[in-house]
Amino acid sequence: METQKFSYDNGIVRAFLYATVVFGLLGMLIGLTVALLLFYPELPEFLFGTDDLTIKSLFSGNHLQGLIATQGKFGYGRLRMMHTNTVIFAFVMNGFFAGGYYSLQRLLKTRMWSDTLSWVHFWGWQLMIVSSLVTFMYGINTSKEYAEHEWPIDILILIVWLIFGINMFATIAKRRVRHLYVAIWFYIGTWVAIAMLHVFNNLEVPLTFGGWKSYSAYAGVKDALVQWWYGHNAVAFVLTTPILGLMYYFLPKAADRPVFSYKLSIIHFWSLIFVYIWAGPHHLQYTAIPAWAQALATGFSIMLIAPSWGGMLNGLLTLRGAWDKVRENPVLKFFVVALTCYGMATFEGPLLATKTLNKIGHFTDWVIGHVHVGALGWNGFMTFGMIYYLLPIMWRTKLWSTKLANWHFWLGTMGIIFYVVPMYISGFTQGLMWKQFNPDGTLLYKNWLDTVSAVIPYYEMRFVGGLFYISGVVLMCVNVVATVRQGSFQKNVPAEAPALARISNSRKEGEGIHLWIERIPVLLTVLSLFAVSIGGFFEIVPTLTIKSNVPTISAVKPYSPLELEGRDIYIREGCNACHSQMIRPFRDEVVRFNGKNGQYSKAGEFIYDRPFLWGSKRTGPDLQREGGVRPSSWHFKHMLNPRVTSAGSIMPRFPWLIANTLDRSQLVDKIVFMKDVYDVPYTKAEIDTANAWADHQSDHIVKQIYSEAADVKEEFAKRKAEEGSKFVPLEKREIVAVIAYLQRLGTDIKTTEVKTASIK
């Protein structure tokens, strides 16, 4: 057989590796800032200016102009989006691409099919990351968790993903190895699943093709089902399967041992990608989605334990006979702890999917702790181990400092412990305090701030854990730079392998069925697509296509133009990161959040919500019944300074909402769009008088504010006298639109009858 000479492209691997390190550090710095804001919400005031005499600021003078000038760019809601997306798409995915490009070439004994496509992929992906950071900073987002990118960036992601897929499959087609190794199965499954999830979850229609704003193709319950089908499986196919592919390649290489069990690898792959896709609705337990979808998700979530632990054990048992190396080799240390964290997270996840634990853990910091076992331990440590493995090989030198790598390992491990354990305690504390009643049937902790105050020490401990973790990352950066400087990088690595002889695709006599599938990439891809799509089809299609699955409520009316503008501002500021809009059928939630209505949330309430805003974490109280509970002047002052209306609040300030003039240029276009595209029942008269409708509503709200708060009325009268013709009346400002939206929430349901599905 003719031996062919070729070379591996290490240049593209180096580029993705550098991007992984840079964006990893950036994403974690943003995350550390987000953690700090949860117990030091005055940080923006300290940095940019304040009128609060109790707070020291870097700027002299008692004014808010510096903070107003930021326009919320450094607010909690926007930073949280920037943190999660940078860690997921910039750190983890760049790490996957670095390891994927390195391992694909060596497993297939060929160079990537197209160097040009490799670099288009690299620069396209980095452009997406930078665009995301900029748009999120400016409040341009869809609010859909892990999918906050607006429509132009969604299209960019799809194009770049297709380019990566073309290059990967074309490389597989010209391989010099007959059978595809298990790591490549996971790469293929990842590509297929992410393409499907991204397309269907991000179906949206732009308000105009010249602007950023779009509205989801799904509304309310349907949007929630599709989003968490995507959200949970983003965890599956962005944060799990590609990293498992890296594990199956780099762990045996680092340990110099073959994978423990080929058969277990087969079971792990097919059962994982089939079962995972069904489990998404477990994020929506006790919500307004159909009960059968909740039950189905619980069952499949519990089944997930088996394939997940099968993969973990396959990895750990690969180290049989090599455990002595773990003591000396920092790469293996990182891999072992990563697999352990993977096992912990994939055991805890199914437990949280059960209704018994979900009613305690959901909306609490328990979920944050659970997520970070996977993010910090599984994703972070696998990526760090891969980086330490690649550095000496690619730069043909020894790692500059093994001691520094070991310090990174121990600092990272301490960081995980100090982060996760306080979040577990905080979550248990929140979940139990929310549900406590006095003997007379009143809530023991009626004031939401009681639970907020109770968990502040755990937020501080979590911040310390973040400092430990990021300190280790800084040491890694030092090690990377020093190793690169002392080494000699070889961009094109010479290699040779015999050409692959052509044989029939038909199955040979005595050939195992999976061996046959492994040498037919098209068949493997089609079967993977079937495995990952069937769950979504059976769970989501019925709800999308059968109208009776989302019963309507005749009293629920579309948002007014001003309320719709306020809702868009609410999304812009990322308010849904802290406030849910979903009252579950528990006695404590109905009593705590009943407003004037005494009802838990019904599916028909959300038919005009594009996107849905049910949230996944309650840092502040639920707002689904907020309308009419508090006077408009309270909301005005709460946005100006939450700590004036709610002592001890950790909510950020929003003074720019009061300073900004509401942009009404698309007010009419939005309701015309809703009517024409989504058949929202606005009448012609309502459309023709949309601006007058908004004027009337804003006038009414301002009259309320002025009648309730004389100090506010006096302040605006003073501003009018000072500014003259430049003065913008309060009626024309953004804050009024936000108040209009908040005062609308839950007011369509008018009953005092309390119905609950559970007493606690």
Side-chain angles (χ1 to χ4, degrees), residues 151 204-209 211-215 673:
W151 67 274
E204 56 217 358
V205 181
L207 180 62
T208 65
F209 287 99
W212 286 94
K213 186 63 182 174
S214 69
Y215 291 96
F673 173 91

Side-chain angles (χ1 to χ4, degrees), residues 20 37 60 122 137-138 178 228 250 267 289 312 382 438 498 501 538 548 550 605 638 640 697 728 751:
T20 303
L37 286 170
S60 60
F122 173 78
M137 183 180 288
Y138 279 85
R178 180 81 58 201
W228 280 111
F250 286 102
I267 296 170
I289 70 167
M312 176 194 69
M382 275 301 303
N438 291 308
F538 280 106
S548 61
V550 184
E605 294 184 60
H638 192 62
L640 178 60
Q697 191 172 11
V728 177
T751 177

Side-chain angles (χ1 to χ4, degrees), residues 330-559:
V331 172
L332 291 178
K333 283 189 178 76
F334 278 107
F335 287 164
V336 167
V337 172
L339 281 166
T340 305
C341 288
Y342 173 61
M344 291 169 61
T346 53
F347 180 73
E348 184 185 19
L351 292 182
L352 279 167
T354 63
K355 288 203 164 187
T356 303
L357 290 180
N358 188 276
K359 66 182 178 183
I360 299 172
H362 193 51
F363 290 132
T364 75
D365 288 318
W366 184 354
V367 177
I368 307 302
H370 163 65
V371 166
H372 282 81
V373 169
L376 300 176
W378 166 236
N379 297 130
F381 271 34
M382 275 301 303
T383 304
F384 299 148
M386 181 195 73
I387 290 171
Y388 283 123
Y389 175 83
L390 288 176
L391 278 172
I393 293 174
M394 291 177 60
W395 275 268
R396 298 181 291 180
T397 185
K398 288 185 177 181
L399 187 65
W400 182 68
S401 174
T402 301
K403 181 180 286 187
L404 216 59
N406 281 318
W407 268 103
H408 176 194
F409 169 78
W410 288 112
L411 283 169
T413 302
M414 290 296 292
I416 294 169
I417 294 169
F418 272 88
Y419 190 110
V420 170
V421 173
M423 287 299 93
Y424 285 153
I425 300 172
S426 174
F428 301 153
T429 301
Q430 290 169 322
L432 295 174
M433 286 181 73
W434 293 345
K435 293 186 173 296
Q436 294 300 305
F437 280 84
N438 291 308
D440 64 356
T442 59
L443 285 165
L444 179 59
Y445 302 104
K446 188 174 183 179
N447 189 336
W448 187 265
L449 289 169
D450 292 337
T451 58
V452 173
S453 301
V455 301
I456 292 296
Y458 306 117
Y459 288 166
E460 294 169 344
M461 292 173 66
R462 184 253 300 269
F463 180 76
V464 172
L467 282 175
F468 276 128
Y469 196 88
I470 203 167
S471 298
V473 176
V474 170
L475 294 184
M476 182 190 73
C477 293
V478 172
N479 224 349
V480 168
V481 171
T483 303
V484 167
R485 283 183 173 177
Q486 77 176 12
S488 173
F489 181 76
Q490 188 175 19
K491 184 178 179 181
N492 298 299
V493 181
E496 58 181 42
L500 189 64
R502 291 186 175 275
I503 62 171
S504 169
N505 282 341
S506 58
R507 187 178 170 191
K508 298 178 180 178
E509 185 178 350
E511 183 179 25
I513 188 168
H514 205 274
L515 278 173
W516 172 59
I517 293 172
E518 287 169 35
R519 65 179 179 86
I520 313 294
V522 173
L523 179 59
L524 179 63
T525 304
V526 170
L527 291 175
S528 297
L529 176 61
F530 177 77
V532 300
S533 62
I534 189 170
F537 178 84
F538 280 106
E539 279 187 340
I540 294 174
V541 169
T543 302
L544 294 182
T545 56
I546 303 175
K547 190 174 181 180
S548 61
N549 277 327
V550 184
T552 58
I553 300 173
S554 59
V556 175
K557 304 299 181 185
Y559 293 107

